Amino acid sequence: MARKNSSKTIATVKRKTKSKPSNIKPNKTKSSAKNYLGFEKKQLIDVLKMMVRSREIDMKAMRLLKQGKTFFHIAAEGHEAVQMAVGLHLDPKKDWLFPYYRDLGTVLMAGTTPEEVFLGTFAKATDPASGGKQLPVHWGMTNAQLPSQSSPTGTQFLQAVGTALASKRKGIRNISYVSSGEGTTSQGEFHEAVNWASRERLPVLFMIQNNRYAISVPVEHQTAGKGGSVAAMMSGFNTLFRLKIDGTDFFESYKKIKEAIDYIKSGKGPALIEAEVVRLQSHSSSDDQKKYRKDEELEKDKLNDPIEKFEDVLQGEELLTESDYEKIKEEIKNEIDEAADKAFNASDPEADEAEKYVYDESGYKESLDYETVEPSGQKIVLVDAVNHALHEEMKKNKDMYIFGEDIADKKGGVFTATKGLSTNFGDDRVFNSPLAEASILGVANGMALAGLKPVVEIQFGDYIWPAFQQMKNETAAMRYRSNNSWATPVVVRVAVGGYIHGGLCHSQNIESIYAHVPGIYIAYPSNAADAKGLLKTACRLKDPVLFCEHKGLYRQSFAITPEPDDNYLIPFGKAKVAKVGTDITVVSYGVSMWDSLFAAKRLEEEFEYSVEVIDLRTIIPLDEETIFNSVKKTNKVIVIHEDTLTGGFGAEIVARISDSCFQYLDGPIKRIAAKDTHIPYSPILENNVLPSRQKIYEDIKNLIEF
């Protein structure tokens, strides 16, 4: 069936949209005959065919799995009616779609073909969703505004808010559709998304398909809303239009979705529809619902089968005969068998495809002009260099947006790194976010999917952890899991580091944990010129960047440099030899690099020892060439950083040196790092935990004399 591109092709009875949110109790009886009026016979038959198509795909996928030809499937059986209704109202070329794994009918209506579904089922190279990199039913399209979806429940909600915010900023009138089951509404990111969308009256349609079970957990053990209702639970959001509908009834679903969309398009706010549906199959092919659901409950759900209800109405109105229905089912079964066979015989991915598209491979990064001149402007502190870089890049890129906690004027950030930006570029492009780190990253991901360049601030590295889900499973993975079809090149600026008496939660270093996440670049500048050059590069790259700014260096005198001009870029993956030497190599970054440099100068003055100090500048990519060349020259190496010893990034550097330079070493590879404890508040205690200049001096000296 060809998808209807607009609900305008279907005549409907006009209803006055209510200006205030409301709940509609679902009617679990059969759809009445009068409800079909307004649809042409062919349209209704096409809807039935698409429902049957969705059901037959599910049945075929389960048969294939039992035959050992596939590994996993999640069925949409029982959800088809509301998904057909959604599909008739949305334009996938204009509206944004964030369907969840049980949204098969929705993606079919958006234009995904049965063959494409099975290309994903068989993990084929031509699978348009992921090229075989993701589980089946993790939807993605390249010819529609349907970005690659992933497994974590609820991450898609904030991304939908991000695309809606981008639409609003661009002046585009469209809708961001996002769906899930009722269990996912227990996730904090769902509530954060509803809060942001409601506060800014964004065009988001939240579709909750409530089949009463989150795997095995019934809704009454999951949801605090009255009667297990998600719509009731969300009653506090006064701009949110709420409806509770019978999602097994196509006609009711169609009408109520139109009400919600009319409300959204009025500009009054987002809408949430709780569609009560039935789950006719187990949660997934890995589950057996008979272990936790009674037979009588399962039989009762079968009586509410949305396809059978719809078919009954068509037969009751003499639009369809039993033989017509059997013929439709037989034709579609043959169609699905043929699509599955064709997909099964498609090409498998090549093994080396497993490593492709972790990062942008277009060559763009390599095409930029780096370090074309020496910084020669007025001397500047690091925090002002960051501020100037942001101002310059905002002027160059009208699609760049900056947001975070307290970043707008008159505050301008807790460290003043963003001062003047909202004044100069307006509150639409520079604005305060809610105090919710997951929201910051999730919305940024959505904005990036919509073609904008979000540069966000996390106030302290210590508080980045609520955003880790978004960064690890969404920001970092988007390009890879979509096989290069979608990307989220978000820049995340974050203040890190100790030596400021900030205690446990204002002193953390985070680079080693994020270095373990493929798909994110990590910068860690130690001076003003490098901070400006690296940040400007980060703002232009097509990959995500974690930009670590040591707050102890923000206004530190020894980190002051002449300011580079507005064309100054520094490449990621190119370390700097801060001091040339021949007796030993010191590899470091951040504050520890400066402590190493001071120790090196002292050793040179006192003993004429020649110490080479390498400033990494970026953790990912790591400049192995500069490190290895230095070690081969000096034959001794020590790695120094502020993070804890165990699991610190220094261990990775040491391992690589051991692999590639072992034969050149005249002594053991040493590490200096913080002790394996938290950072205490007392200066006496803090000084005992973090690497000191004296210890760095002594350990370098001891290794030279080894």
Side-chain angles (χ1 to χ4, degrees), residues 573-594:
K574 183 180 178 182
K576 179 171 64 179
V577 179
K579 182 181 179 301
V580 177
T582 56
D583 292 331
I584 192 172
T585 297
V586 176
V587 181
S588 192
Y589 53 92
V591 166
S592 295
M593 193 285 302
W594 286 104

Side-chain angles (χ1 to χ4, degrees), residues 217-325:
V217 179
V219 67
E220 60 267 23
H221 295 169
Q222 189 81 235
T223 302
K226 184 178 180 181
S229 170
V230 176
M233 179 174 64
M234 309 309 289
S235 61
F237 295 96
N238 67 352
T239 65
L240 178 69
F241 185 73
R242 297 174 295 112
L243 291 171
K244 185 176 182 181
I245 68 172
D246 182 356
T248 66
D249 183 330
F250 168 79
F251 299 102
E252 178 181 327
S253 296
Y254 184 86
K255 288 191 298 181
K256 298 305 181 183
I257 290 169
K258 184 179 187 305
E259 283 187 42
I261 289 176
D262 286 345
Y263 179 85
I264 292 169
K265 289 186 174 180
S266 74
K268 295 174 183 176
L272 182 146
I273 293 178
E274 178 184 4
E276 292 204 325
V277 293
V278 289
R279 196 183 78 188
L280 299 180
Q281 289 285 350
S282 298
H283 167 74
S284 72
S285 56
S286 301
D287 177 45
D288 181 2
Q289 64 182 353
K290 291 181 179 179
K291 292 181 178 180
Y292 51 85
R293 298 185 69 183
K294 295 179 180 180
D295 289 342
E296 44 274 36
E297 181 187 5
L298 296 174
E299 289 301 315
K300 183 179 178 181
D301 275 359
K302 289 180 182 178
L303 297 175
N304 218 17
D305 185 325
I307 298 180
E308 296 303 315
K309 289 173 67 172
F310 187 68
E311 181 260 339
D312 283 349
V313 172
L314 299 191
Q315 287 200 39
E317 297 302 320
E318 299 182 350
L319 300 173
L320 181 77
T321 66
E322 183 65 32
S323 62
D324 290 337
Y325 185 40

Side-chain angles (χ1 to χ4, degrees), residues 382 496-500 509 524-527 548-554 556 558-559 588-599 613 615 640-643 690-693 696:
L382 193 149
V496 299
Y499 300 103
I500 63 165
N509 280 277
Y524 203 136
S526 63
N527 62 71
C548 297
E549 300 166 11
H550 199 297
K551 47 192 173 288
L553 293 176
Y554 270 147
Q556 186 58 255
F558 50 73
S588 192
Y589 53 92
V591 166
S592 295
M593 193 285 302
W594 286 104
D595 290 340
S596 301
L597 199 58
F598 295 143
V613 179
D615 183 357
I640 304 173
H641 59 65
E642 182 183 331
D643 199 5
L690 296 176
S692 67
R693 288 185 186 176
I696 290 172

Side-chain angles (χ1 to χ4, degrees), residues 28 92 114 164 311 322 400 458 467 530 594:
K28 288 292 186 178
E311 181 260 339
E322 183 65 32
M400 182 169 151
I458 300 295
D530 286 356
W594 286 104

Side-chain angles (χ1 to χ4, degrees), residues 154 157-158 161 188-198 204 206 439:
F157 285 112
L158 286 166
V161 172
E189 292 187 23
F190 165 71
H191 295 268
E192 291 182 27
V194 174
N195 178 59
W196 193 315
S198 299
V204 183
F206 296 93
S439 288

Side-chain angles (χ1 to χ4, degrees), residues 81-143:
V82 71
Q83 292 175 4
M84 299 300 114
V86 165
L88 286 172
H89 280 293
L90 298 177
D91 180 352
K93 301 292 186 183
K94 182 180 178 183
D95 298 316
W96 286 95
L97 306 179
F98 292 85
Y100 84 126
Y101 46 74
R102 215 179 295 281
D103 244 318
L104 173 59
T106 305
V107 300
L108 289 173
M109 293 292 281
T112 296
T113 67
E115 182 184 344
E116 289 171 335
V117 173
F118 287 112
L119 288 171
T121 300
F122 295 122
K124 295 296 184 176
T126 49
D127 162 31
S130 74
K133 289 178 176 176
Q134 286 215 97
L135 285 169
V137 301
H138 286 53
W139 312 114
M141 295 178 67
T142 57
N143 58 348

